[in-house]
Amino acid sequence: MEQNKKTIFSGIQPSGKITLGNYLGALRNWPTFQDTYNAIYSVVDEHAITVRQNPAELRRQTLELYAQLIACGLDPEKSTIFIQSHVPQHAELSWVLNCYTMFGELSRMTQFKDKSAAHADNINGGLFTYPVLMAADILLYQADLVPVGEDQRQHVELARNIAQRFNGVYGEVFAMPEAYIPPVGARVMSLSEPEKKMSKSSENENSYILVMDPPEVIMRKFKRAVTDSEGGIYRSPEKPGVSNLIEIYAAVTGESPEKVEESFSGQGYGAFKPTVGEAVVEALRPIREETERLLKDKASLETLYRQGAEKAAAMAARTLRKVHKKVGFVSR
């Protein structure tokens, strides 16, 4: 680990389904961090089980997401990429930090309230304390920056509060992490309800594009994308569907939205929608093909995630040893 570089940590839950919105909005930018930061990326499978999971499905989705991260451009030589449950220090530090986190702090977490409402039949202790596990994820690696969306900023603030409280008692043990809201990538909206963000939780599968969707599925979804009856390919608040397609085409081709409007001036939606679909197919093709190649080569993938866990565990162990010594545990 290079001492003069700041450390950046990101965790992503293994839903196994990265949408076009996830990719263009965030993941596409992740490889740029690995040249300027000590970049640490984790597939956070321990976080996933706060909601009931199908075990076989969780295993498959964890491996698929791990492969997708590499296919999106993360380099295991430049970054540390690992599966959270393979590094036991996460759970160990989480318990210690639980004892330095106030009940009232956890009660105020917005996501706990939201998820409790969504999973009223399974409001478990993990759902309540998972922000502490997230704090452990961050603090184990002495992370300086944590790229998050606005909805997760509260959790980084909690990690800072816990670090401050612990440091106040025992001295400078943890670095103080900061939420890093990356420059906004393309904001990709639903293809069927363009006033809403693209989301894989939508019941209408035509509303989102998955990175792993085959070309024919992508083309079908774009041909069904909602536009309007007015015609004319230009951006306007009155034309959310067309505006969304213009933004998507601009994001995957690198053209400016103004240039896209100019290029398709006078053309109809019948020609424009398939053209956007084809551009997306070509942008996602190398990611899908590389993911499939990695998943077929189980031995190589296993080598990569084991090496990633070893690198992560070596860093995590240093922090955990220091924490255990500070709180008074007998050294192993």
Side-chain angles (χ1 to χ4, degrees):
M1 193 155 98
E2 292 180 46
Q3 296 306 317
N4 58 344
K5 283 185 178 179
K6 285 191 168 184
T7 296
I8 195 164
F9 175 89
S10 279
I12 180 167
Q13 286 209 31
S15 70
K17 295 176 180 176
I18 296 176
T19 67
L20 179 67
N22 301 141
Y23 174 65
L24 293 177
L27 277 176
R28 183 166 67 164
N29 300 322
W30 281 17
T32 61
F33 297 139
Q34 59 194 0
D35 292 318
T36 44
Y37 295 98
N38 289 313
I40 302 170
Y41 297 104
S42 180
V43 178
V44 290
D45 53 343
E46 290 177 338
H47 283 288
I49 64 169
T50 57
V51 175
R52 290 284 172 268
Q53 300 285 340
N54 173 314
E57 193 76 352
L58 179 60
R59 270 190 288 276
R60 184 187 64 74
Q61 290 178 342
T62 299
L63 289 174
E64 186 170 295
L65 178 57
Y66 190 90
Q68 281 179 299
L69 292 179
I70 294 169
C72 284
L74 293 184
D75 181 348
E77 294 294 316
K78 293 180 176 180
S79 299
T80 301
I81 315 164
F82 68 99
I83 296 168
Q84 183 187 29
S85 62
H86 291 182
V87 181
Q89 290 91 342
H90 286 253
E92 289 188 71
L93 181 60
S94 182
W95 172 251
V96 176
L97 297 185
N98 263 311
C99 301
Y100 292 81
T101 308
M102 299 302 114
F103 188 87
E105 288 176 309
L106 293 175
S107 303
R108 288 192 291 275
M109 292 290 121
T110 313
Q111 288 217 332
F112 172 67
K113 294 171 189 169
D114 295 347
K115 288 197 173 184
S116 298
H119 303 278
D121 57 339
N122 182 27
I123 305 173
N124 58 71
L127 199 61
F128 187 64
T129 61
Y130 94 93
V132 184
L133 178 58
M134 185 170 162
D137 299 337
I138 296 163
L139 299 178
L140 261 182
Y141 301 100
Q142 305 293 347
D144 299 293
L145 297 172
V146 188
V148 287
E150 273 302 333
D151 59 334
Q152 291 285 342
R153 188 193 279 274
Q154 193 184 27
H155 291 156
V156 181
E157 285 303 316
L158 179 69
R160 286 174 63 84
N161 291 347
I162 297 169
Q164 217 158 11
R165 187 173 296 130
F166 196 92
N167 289 352
V169 178
Y170 300 107
E172 296 303 306
V173 177
F174 296 120
M176 293 298 288
E178 286 183 26
Y180 171 64
I181 310 295
V184 179
R187 185 171 163 78
V188 180
M189 311 306 280
S190 162
L191 297 182
S192 58
E193 298 175 274
E195 300 82 11
K196 296 181 181 174
K197 265 178 79 173
M198 182 178 284
S199 170
K200 58 181 173 256
S201 57
S202 168
E203 287 177 13
N204 180 358
E205 63 174 29
N206 289 313
S207 72
Y208 56 81
I209 301 291
L210 298 176
V211 167
M212 296 302 288
D213 275 346
E216 64 276 13
V217 172
I218 293 174
M219 292 304 293
R220 186 186 74 234
K221 289 179 178 179
F222 272 105
K223 283 174 184 170
R224 292 180 181 174
V226 167
T227 47
D228 53 61
S229 56
E230 184 259 356
I233 297 167
Y234 58 90
R235 288 166 301 159
S236 161
E238 284 75 52
K239 296 169 73 70
V242 177
S243 301
N244 186 36
L245 294 179
I246 291 169
E247 294 288 350
I248 290 171
Y249 188 80
V252 297
T253 60
E255 288 184 15
S256 69
E258 293 76 17
K259 178 79 167 63
V260 177
E261 289 173 341
E262 197 182 302
S263 302
F264 290 93
S265 176
Q267 294 192 36
Y269 300 151
F272 182 53
K273 291 200 285 189
T275 306
V276 179
E278 282 160 15
V280 170
V281 164
E282 290 314 310
L284 297 182
R285 187 189 301 279
I287 299 167
R288 192 187 75 253
E289 289 176 354
E290 178 62 2
T291 301
E292 287 169 350
R293 186 192 70 74
L294 286 162
L295 289 169
K296 281 188 189 126
D297 190 351
K298 288 279 192 290
S300 293
L301 193 62
E302 190 174 311
T303 299
L304 289 174
Y305 68 65
R306 284 192 167 165
Q307 286 173 346
E310 280 171 24
K311 275 168 73 178
M315 289 182 263
R318 283 197 293 275
T319 299
L320 192 67
R321 271 196 303 272
K322 193 187 287 188
V323 168
H324 280 178
K325 186 177 180 184
K326 291 289 189 185
V327 299
F329 293 167
V330 175
S331 63
R332 296 176 186 179

